[in-house]
Amino acid sequence: MAPPQTQKDATKAVHKPDYDAVRKDIASILKMPDYDDGSCGPVLVRLAWHASGTYDKETNTGGSNGAGMRYEAEGGDPANAGLEHARRFLEPIKQKHPWITYADLWTLAGVVAIKEMGGPDCKWKPGRTDFADESKCPPRGRLPDGALAADHLRHVFYRMGFNDQEIVALAGAHSLGRCHSDRSGFEGPWSVTPTKFSTQYFKLTKFKWEKKTWEGPVQYKNTDLGEELMMLPTDMALIEDEKFLPYVKKYAEDREAFYSDFAAVFSKLIELGVTRDDDYESAPTMSKEAGDEKEREAKSKM
């Protein structure tokens, strides 16, 4: 078994790691006419989210470091069903840029996808390592269960070190993507624009939601916008809980506040449990704006 790959080891074979090139390659694959709603962006965000959301602050285990989803112990967790598609979509980019670790690639893909779908710029920093084997994978059961309620949300997110405001802000990612009955058991999109990052998820909470009559698990439906949209019990918990609700109302009305808070909490999420070599402790954070600025500077010198 080969030793775990670190970013420092991986970059020995290249003169300088080109993260801007990786960003551009990720952006280039997002449009997929034959996948879901025409974009793999939402599932890449989910990959970054689930790779990071296993963190436990008490034991300092889990998190995005390690890319444990490559192994059955973590990748086979029912909560990660369907994420094999996201990992497969990114594999050609990994092969093109072998110096980047999977842990960095997956988190960077989530950041790029959010920005490309109209969301905020989330800070990202390289230096994550890949586990050599599954022995360091976190135990299953740490990711949220959409079928449960507010106390479950707090149990999961408090374990990671988040507060109520951050829980609601992160939930805003449900403006993206859809559920699949052959993966989570749930079915349908949260919004009418599932490939566009927006405040629509929070605005829709003002609608009347009723339990869907079907053979699947409990979920809620609304058809006021012409198509059937859905909410999970965990989504409804944000409306029903008196401490969550003020943040839901705030983000429904204040796009700037939501985008700012989401960028901060998503960047915090993908940093949970990450330790780096000294070379990376002082490395600057990487953002799309930073990359764009570098490109403009280079062009101005031509």
Side-chain angles (χ1 to χ4, degrees), residues 208-210 212 219-223 228-230:
K208 182 179 179 180
W209 295 87
E210 59 183 34
K212 180 176 181 176
Q219 67 178 66
Y220 297 81
K221 70 173 185 177
N222 179 278
T223 58
E228 184 174 305
L229 303 178
M230 70 96 193

Side-chain angles (χ1 to χ4, degrees), residues 116-193:
E116 292 294 321
M117 290 187 289
D121 181 53
C122 303
K123 292 181 179 179
W124 178 86
K125 186 176 180 179
R128 294 166 186 78
T129 60
D130 291 338
F131 295 151
D133 57 59
E134 63 182 37
S135 63
K136 293 185 179 180
C137 288
R140 296 183 181 184
R142 290 187 177 183
L143 293 168
D145 183 340
L148 300 180
D151 57 346
H152 169 71
L153 284 176
R154 288 194 171 92
H155 171 74
V156 169
F157 286 94
Y158 285 8
R159 187 204 69 228
M160 289 187 267
F162 293 117
N163 59 33
D164 286 356
Q165 172 264 316
E166 292 170 317
I167 292 172
V168 178
L170 271 178
H174 281 179
S175 63
L176 301 171
R178 63 172 56 240
C179 289
H180 303 76
S181 58
D182 61 345
R183 301 179 191 179
S184 64
F186 303 104
E187 183 65 38
W190 284 271
S191 77
V192 295
T193 54

Side-chain angles (χ1 to χ4, degrees), residues 102 227 285:
Y102 282 103
E227 65 177 281
T285 55

Side-chain angles (χ1 to χ4, degrees), residues 154 157-158 161-172 202 238 241 243-248 250-251 257-266 268:
R154 288 194 171 92
F157 286 94
Y158 285 8
F162 293 117
N163 59 33
D164 286 356
Q165 172 264 316
E166 292 170 317
I167 292 172
V168 178
L170 271 178
F202 296 113
L238 301 185
D241 186 275
K243 293 183 179 179
F244 286 146
L245 183 58
Y247 299 113
V248 173
K250 175 183 178 180
Y251 294 146
F258 168 53
Y259 276 42
S260 176
D261 288 352
F262 180 86
V265 72
F266 194 81
K268 176 179 175 179

